[in-house]
Amino acid sequence: ELKSAEKSLEDAFITIIDENTKKRKAEAEAAEKAKEHERELKEESKKAQKEEKAENKKAKKEAKKEEKGKAKAEKVDNKQEKEQSKIMWAVMKKELKSYFYSPIGYVFIGLFLAIFSFIFYITTISQGAVTYQYVFFYSVMYIVIFLIPLLTMRTFAEERKNGTEQILMTAPRSAVAIVLGKFLAALVVIAITELFTLIYFGIICYF
């Protein structure tokens, strides 16, 4: 009986020891798995950080490229605008020279002042109008209708006559710059003629 009790106690101790060893092994395996899982998480986080850094670098490079492209486009636009403005002023100077190197500009100014003088004589002396505004707008309203085409009709007609129209149209110049240059030249001539009418304003103020 004692031997059987000793065997049973030995078996119980052995089972307890085996269970303890199994528990320790399981705990050790769980700890190793937890460590491996932590390592995997750290590696994944490192990879994600690296990918984020790479994406940020790419985004920064793309943003820099876009900024450079925008800056280049703005420079090109500014150059084109400057070139167009130069072309416009060149066309305006050419037109002004053509107006005053030929009798057209002087004929326009002379006719304008002659008709204005006639209307001024009728309105001030015959009708007794003293206000300059009435004389100016009443006369200019009729004069401009008939005399402005003397300047504007010749702008492209002379280009066709001289054979320079195709050169203008095929040259690296925008039609807007050419038209604006011609328009400004005609406007300057009209402004000069309008300045001469201030003589009549002085006459009204004096008398």
Side-chain angles (χ1 to χ4, degrees):
E1 289 178 358
L2 289 170
K3 288 179 180 180
S4 62
E6 286 176 357
K7 285 181 181 179
S8 60
L9 287 171
E10 287 177 358
D11 293 330
F13 281 122
I14 290 166
T15 52
I16 290 165
I17 290 164
D18 292 331
E19 288 177 356
N20 288 326
T21 53
K22 286 178 180 179
K23 286 180 181 180
R24 288 176 182 174
K25 285 180 181 180
E27 288 176 355
E29 288 177 357
E32 287 179 357
K33 287 180 180 180
K35 287 180 181 179
E36 287 178 357
H37 185 66
E38 287 179 358
R39 287 175 185 173
E40 289 176 356
L41 291 173
K42 287 180 180 179
E43 288 178 355
E44 288 177 356
S45 65
K46 286 180 181 179
K47 286 180 181 179
Q49 288 177 358
K50 287 180 181 179
E51 289 177 355
E52 285 180 359
K53 287 180 180 179
E55 288 178 355
N56 290 325
K57 286 181 180 179
K58 286 181 181 179
K60 287 179 180 179
K61 287 180 180 179
E62 289 177 356
K64 287 180 180 178
K65 286 181 181 179
E66 288 179 356
E67 288 178 357
K68 287 181 180 178
K70 288 179 180 179
K72 286 181 181 179
E74 286 179 356
K75 287 180 180 179
V76 171
D77 292 334
N78 291 326
K79 285 181 181 178
Q80 288 178 354
E81 288 178 358
K82 288 179 181 179
E83 287 176 357
Q84 296 300 328
S85 64
K86 287 180 182 178
I87 291 163
M88 184 180 70
W89 291 115
V91 172
M92 190 183 83
K93 288 177 182 178
K94 175 182 171 291
E95 288 295 318
L96 284 173
K97 287 179 181 179
S98 68
Y99 282 131
F100 291 105
Y101 286 168
S102 64
I104 293 169
Y106 303 104
V107 168
F108 175 79
I109 294 170
L111 283 173
F112 188 92
L113 292 176
I115 297 168
F116 192 89
S117 299
F118 179 71
I119 296 171
F120 179 77
Y121 175 78
I122 292 170
T123 53
T124 53
I125 295 173
S126 298
Q127 297 179 2
V130 181
T131 58
Y132 179 74
Q133 293 177 353
Y134 174 76
V135 177
F136 182 79
F137 290 110
Y138 181 75
S139 59
V140 169
M141 182 173 63
Y142 295 104
I143 295 169
V144 167
I145 294 170
F146 298 104
L147 291 183
I148 294 297
L150 287 174
L151 294 175
T152 56
M153 284 193 299
R154 62 170 295 281
T155 52
F156 288 98
E158 281 196 358
E159 298 292 342
R160 290 178 185 174
K161 183 180 177 181
N162 296 325
T164 56
E165 183 186 11
Q166 292 181 355
I167 297 169
L168 280 174
M169 294 303 173
T170 56
R173 302 171 181 176
S174 67
V176 177
I178 295 166
V179 172
L180 282 175
K182 290 179 177 290
F183 171 76
L184 289 174
L187 190 65
V188 168
V189 176
I190 295 164
I192 291 167
T193 55
E194 295 294 334
L195 287 173
F196 280 113
T197 59
L198 293 175
I199 297 167
Y200 302 97
F201 178 72
I203 292 168
I204 291 171
C205 292
Y206 183 74
F207 292 103

